[in-house]
Amino acid sequence: MPGFELFGDLERKEVNDVLDNGVLMRYGFDGMRNGHWKAKALETELQSTFQSKHVQLVSSGTAAVSVALASAGVGAGDEVIMPTFTFVASFEAIMMLGAIPILVDIDDTLGLSPEAVQKAITPKTKAIMVVQMCGSMANMDALLAISKKHNLLLIEDACQAIGGNYKGKPLGSIGDLGCFSFDFVKTITCGEGGAVITNNKEYYINADHYSDHGHDHVGNDRGAETHPFLGYNFRISELHAAVGLAQVKRLPEFLEIQKRNFNILRDALSEIPEVTFRAVPEGGEESCAFLNFFLPDIETSTKVSKAFKENGVDVCWNYYNNGWHYIRNWNHLKDLKSLYPISAEVKNGLAYLKDKDFSKSDHFIGRNISCLIKLSWTETEVKARALKMVEVIKSCI
């Protein structure tokens, strides 16, 4: 999925423009920068891309989740429901605010199970955070209905799903706030960077201030700005924004290549009766950053994963034993291994993880193989890869 595979003249031009101008910080230095504002320009481009009124760039996707939650008032002791299949950043971003991540099962979309979410709601629940993993989406209508029924925030972590959409709306723009990552291995990259998007002006103003030490950004004298509330430093630099500005203009090009490669592989694998694909809710369109499919059981998926590696089929994973993306091996979370004391509220709130049963999630993750879709593959290479994948899977079944 990474846009860095296709760096070119446009990225170099935008970066050189910043270096020639000499102002690397996104705020201030108005007289020096001669009208060059890469972060502002990227935010404007992203408003159009995400069909969203407000975009606030930040330093990473992890920062985006923390800033989004903080901007909507989530903090100490609040519970945030999240899926068992995501990236460790999801619970890190919640815990950074003193809030409690409540992990619940996924379903065949590989996203939050609405049934599991409903069962997890308590008087302390403040938000539901859906993670649109591997370029697709959870059952958004059901999650929207639950959030409205219980007056809960719906936060979309769409860090892996830029370019996907649901019923004509870009993923990330459906909930109260959306979060994106532009790190080195996302469909478009800034090197490091992220964004919070929302149609709620209050949340946007909060994100704008909170991500820059509480600065109100009123006027053109940074030293004269006031601080309406406490904030921290989650700023993006002009250099990072410059790379992203070039990349977002190329997003349609990247998505077209992804979809071509995705469809070639999916069409080939669909001829194998034992292969089924992740469920995509009606009205949903994947970004095609990954091809996710299920095999009959974990033994078969383990065998196929091993055979893929032995036969040169790269960038395909079974996440069951993965330490980054699935609950089973998040021992540092379960055992609360921290450099500093964890608050009693959070420590007590996470005690449920010691004996929580996630067998429903195991059922889907254990049988799933997730294959990255590269932009650098030629059509000939993708077709050869498809034949090899079919051959390997058939030999293992």
Side-chain angles (χ1 to χ4, degrees):
M1 65 177 171
F4 76 77
E5 293 182 274
L6 298 180
F7 280 154
D9 291 340
L10 189 56
E11 287 83 358
R12 295 183 185 93
K13 176 184 177 298
E14 295 289 355
V15 170
N16 285 334
D17 188 38
V18 175
L19 294 175
D20 291 343
N21 187 53
V23 179
L24 275 60
M25 185 174 176
R26 75 155 297 177
Y27 296 112
F29 302 94
D30 297 36
M32 292 175 58
R33 64 174 70 239
N34 299 314
H36 294 265
W37 300 89
K38 299 301 180 183
K40 287 184 179 180
L42 178 52
E43 286 169 344
T44 298
E45 287 285 341
L46 291 172
Q47 286 173 9
S48 175
T49 298
F50 296 136
Q51 300 174 23
S52 180
K53 291 180 181 178
H54 308 291
V55 175
Q56 178 65 40
L57 286 174
V58 290
S59 54
S60 69
T62 311
V65 177
S66 286
V67 170
L69 291 168
S71 298
V74 176
D78 291 331
E79 293 180 351
V80 179
I81 295 172
M82 58 166 282
T84 54
F85 177 46
T86 177
F87 180 56
V88 292
S90 297
F91 61 76
E92 292 169 348
I94 294 167
M95 292 175 68
M96 196 193 79
L97 300 173
I100 303 163
I102 303 298
L103 284 89
V104 304
D105 278 317
I106 59 169
D107 58 23
D108 58 357
T109 66
L110 298 179
L112 275 177
S113 160
E115 179 184 4
V117 169
Q118 182 67 56
K119 290 179 179 177
I121 294 171
T122 75
K124 291 183 178 181
T125 305
K126 189 72 173 282
I128 299 167
M129 188 167 77
V130 57
V131 184
Q132 315 291 30
M133 283 293 285
C134 300
S136 193
M137 69 221 72
N139 187 331
M140 296 306 295
D141 279 352
L143 294 173
L144 279 166
I146 292 170
S147 65
K148 288 178 181 177
K149 177 182 177 182
H150 295 276
N151 195 28
L152 300 172
L153 292 162
L154 182 61
I155 311 292
E156 272 187 276
D157 176 345
C159 289
Q160 286 193 3
I162 186 170
N165 64 79
Y166 179 64
K167 295 186 175 178
K169 298 187 69 174
L171 296 181
S173 71
I174 300 164
D176 295 289
L177 297 112
C179 308
F180 287 89
S181 170
F182 306 127
D183 71 20
F184 194 54
V185 291
K186 294 301 184 291
T187 302
I188 61 171
T189 183
C190 291
E192 287 287 357
V196 177
I197 72 170
T198 184
N199 288 322
N200 183 303
K201 187 175 182 180
E202 180 185 356
Y203 295 162
Y204 163 67
I205 292 173
N206 289 346
D208 171 75
H209 297 2
Y210 182 76
S211 60
D212 183 29
H213 300 294
H215 276 274
D216 65 9
H217 300 139
V218 174
N220 58 7
D221 181 354
R222 187 166 171 81
E225 293 173 4
T226 64
H227 300 81
F229 48 76
L230 291 168
Y232 299 91
N233 180 6
F234 297 112
R235 295 189 304 262
I236 194 170
S237 77
E238 287 287 274
L239 275 175
H240 290 97
V243 177
L245 182 58
Q247 289 258 299
V248 74
K249 292 174 181 176
R250 303 181 66 191
L251 180 59
E253 170 194 354
F254 296 165
L255 293 175
E256 183 179 356
I257 296 170
Q258 277 185 180
K259 289 176 182 178
R260 179 200 70 190
N261 295 346
F262 175 98
N263 287 330
I264 290 171
L265 296 177
R266 194 185 194 283
D267 289 347
L269 267 59
S270 66
E271 296 178 7
I272 305 173
E274 293 85 357
V275 169
T276 57
F277 298 94
R278 78 186 298 174
V280 178
E282 185 177 353
E285 182 180 358
E286 298 184 69
S287 75
C288 300
F290 292 82
L291 175 65
N292 285 273
F293 61 93
F294 298 111
L295 292 163
D297 49 55
I298 190 171
E299 291 77 19
T300 305
S301 64
T302 302
K303 190 176 178 181
V304 168
S305 293
K306 183 173 183 290
F308 274 171
K309 292 176 183 177
E310 292 171 348
N311 286 273
V313 179
D314 65 344
V315 295
C316 288
W317 299 277
N318 173 269
Y319 292 110
Y320 189 69
N321 291 311
N322 180 285
W324 288 11
H325 293 93
Y326 187 54
I327 180 64
R328 283 191 75 246
N329 286 334
W330 288 344
N331 295 321
H332 61 308
L333 172 64
K334 297 174 187 176
D335 299 334
L336 289 177
K337 296 178 180 178
S338 173
L339 293 175
Y340 51 84
I342 301 290
S343 72
E345 220 168 12
V346 174
K347 187 179 293 186
N348 294 335
L350 288 173
Y352 74 95
L353 287 175
K354 285 293 184 182
D355 55 10
K356 179 71 173 176
D357 175 26
F358 292 115
S359 55
K360 289 184 179 179
S361 295
D362 288 345
H363 172 72
F364 295 109
I365 291 297
R367 298 182 301 113
N368 173 251
I369 293 182
S370 181
C371 295
L372 182 71
I373 303 297
K374 288 187 179 181
L375 298 174
S376 56
W377 291 329
T378 66
E379 189 169 352
T380 299
E381 288 172 334
V382 181
K383 288 178 178 178
R385 179 184 180 86
L387 291 174
K388 175 61 70 174
M389 289 175 71
V390 169
E391 176 188 329
V392 169
I393 293 171
K394 285 183 175 179
S395 72
C396 294
I397 292 175

